[in-house]
């Protein structure tokens, strides 16, 4: 291939990857990746749950007066409805993370709508009210997602910092998050691992155990997304 052509193809691929996966990219529809910078508040968000490890996380959050947002998978909600109810009763918020954690890349609009709508029904049935936020599995957006979210009255939320807690040890997770914790930050962690019914989330738990006192010490309120984004309770 001619070098100029190769460079052009590389640039086009990079642009496509950014459109599909860039947390702050708006090309495939509006997405929120941080809250206002004028308030010392942070939103902790946890994806892929609930899992059998979630109740311990709820205890930890309660000890530090922290509220969080759980982007749950519909299938995991059906497995562990009592854990979902405990989270809601403790003042946490639920978001939609799809039904079966499907990658929406290259899927048709009907599939995408089904994936989001089925999760929305499963979550609403257990929690008593529909989530208002959606976070796509793997952060991947695709054509048709914007329309599906509009029909379901959902807003797309990505993140300011991705913890990479599915692969990093606790100390590196803490370092990543501490460094970029600032006013309005949306931190993305995981209290599940895709659809694994009994995932090992020990590094996540250890990281949260170390991080919560540090963030509170630095004066941050730890709030739900609705609170952070000023969208009411
Ligand atoms: Zn996920």
């Amino acid at each position: 291939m001619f070098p100029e052509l190769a460079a052009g193809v590389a640039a086009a691929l990079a642009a496509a990857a950014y459109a599909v996966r860039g947390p702050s990219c708006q090309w495939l529809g509006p997405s929120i990746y941080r809250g206002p910078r004028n308030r010392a508040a942070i939103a902790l968000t946890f994806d892929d749950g609930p899992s059998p490890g979630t109740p311990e996380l709820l205890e930890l959050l309660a000890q530090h007066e922290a509220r969080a947002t759980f982007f749950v998978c519909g299938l995991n909600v059906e497995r562990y409805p009592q854990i979902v109810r405990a989270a809601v009763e403790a003042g946490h918020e639920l978001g939609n993370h799809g039904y079966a954690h499907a990658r929406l890349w290259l899927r048709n609009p009907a599939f995408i709508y089904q994936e989001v709508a089925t999760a929305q029904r499963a979550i609403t049935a257990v929690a008593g009210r529909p989530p208002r936020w959606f976070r796509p599995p793997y952060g991947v957006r695709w054509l048709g997602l914007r329309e599906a979210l509009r029909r379901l009255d959902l807003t797309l939320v990505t993140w300011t910092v991705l913890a990479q807690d599915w692969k990093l040890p606790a100390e590196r997770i803490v370092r990543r998050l501490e460094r970029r914790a600032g006013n309005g930050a949306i931190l993305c962690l995981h209290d599940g691992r895709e659809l694994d019914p009994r995932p090992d989330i020990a590094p996540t738990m250890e990281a949260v155990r170390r991080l919560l006192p540090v963030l509170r010490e630095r004066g941050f309120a730890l709030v739900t997304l609705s609170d952070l984004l000023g969208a009411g309770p």
Side-chain angles (χ1 to χ4, degrees), residues 47-48 71 73 97 101 135-139 190 192-194:
D47 294 3
D48 294 14
F71 281 93
C73 295
H97 195 46
H101 208 270
R135 176 176 286 157
Y138 313 100
H190 296 76
R193 297 289 183 267
E194 302 177 2

Side-chain angles (χ1 to χ4, degrees), residues 96-196:
N96 182 327
H97 195 46
Y99 183 76
H101 208 270
R103 202 181 293 268
L104 303 179
W105 163 261
L106 299 179
R107 300 289 195 161
N108 67 49
F111 176 92
I112 291 174
Y113 178 80
Q114 264 323 305
E115 186 62 23
V116 182
T118 309
Q120 192 77 346
R121 272 197 300 277
I123 299 164
T124 307
V126 171
R129 63 190 228 190
R132 53 168 53 156
W133 316 113
F134 175 77
R135 176 176 286 157
Y138 313 100
V140 168
R141 285 152 285 174
W142 196 243
L143 306 168
L145 179 60
R146 178 204 284 247
E147 175 62 11
L149 298 185
R150 193 194 59 73
R151 282 172 65 189
L152 294 163
D153 202 16
L154 284 161
T155 300
L156 199 145
V157 176
T158 54
W159 52 79
T160 316
V161 197
L162 191 57
Q164 296 192 358
D165 50 333
W166 64 89
K167 64 176 182 185
L168 294 180
E171 59 271 22
R172 289 194 53 199
I173 300 168
V174 171
R175 232 182 302 142
R176 273 177 81 79
L177 298 179
E178 267 183 4
R179 206 170 44 222
R180 294 189 55 198
N183 286 6
I186 299 172
L187 311 186
C188 175
L189 295 107
H190 296 76
D191 64 325
R193 297 289 183 267
E194 302 177 2
L195 296 181
D196 185 341

Side-chain angles (χ1 to χ4, degrees), residues 170-230:
E171 59 271 22
R172 289 194 53 199
I173 300 168
V174 171
R175 232 182 302 142
R176 273 177 81 79
L177 298 179
E178 267 183 4
R179 206 170 44 222
R180 294 189 55 198
N183 286 6
I186 299 172
L187 311 186
C188 175
L189 295 107
H190 296 76
D191 64 325
R193 297 289 183 267
E194 302 177 2
L195 296 181
D196 185 341
R198 304 207 155 266
D200 175 16
I201 61 165
T204 304
M205 293 301 302
E206 183 53 29
V208 172
R209 190 170 287 116
R210 295 190 208 175
L211 193 65
L212 287 176
V214 174
L215 295 179
R216 298 291 283 139
E217 182 73 18
R218 281 169 65 182
F220 291 112
L222 303 174
V223 300
T224 62
L225 273 175
S226 285
D227 190 339
L228 186 80
L229 300 173

Side-chain angles (χ1 to χ4, degrees), residues 55-73:
E56 194 188 334
L57 176 58
L58 295 178
E59 268 176 49
L60 211 50
L61 292 169
Q63 283 165 21
H64 295 275
E65 292 170 54
R67 299 274 186 280
T69 303
F70 290 87
F71 281 93
V72 293
C73 295

Side-chain angles (χ1 to χ4, degrees), residues 9-81:
V9 169
L13 287 175
Y18 172 66
V20 171
R21 294 219 49 193
S24 58
C25 182
Q26 313 289 321
W27 298 348
L28 284 171
S31 77
I32 294 170
Y33 66 98
R34 77 172 306 142
R37 293 174 193 264
N38 60 3
R39 179 183 167 208
I42 285 178
L44 295 170
T45 65
F46 296 91
D47 294 3
D48 294 14
S51 78
T54 306
E56 194 188 334
L57 176 58
L58 295 178
E59 268 176 49
L60 211 50
L61 292 169
Q63 283 165 21
H64 295 275
E65 292 170 54
R67 299 274 186 280
T69 303
F70 290 87
F71 281 93
V72 293
C73 295
L75 190 67
N76 289 334
V77 169
E78 290 171 354
R79 280 176 176 151
Y80 302 113

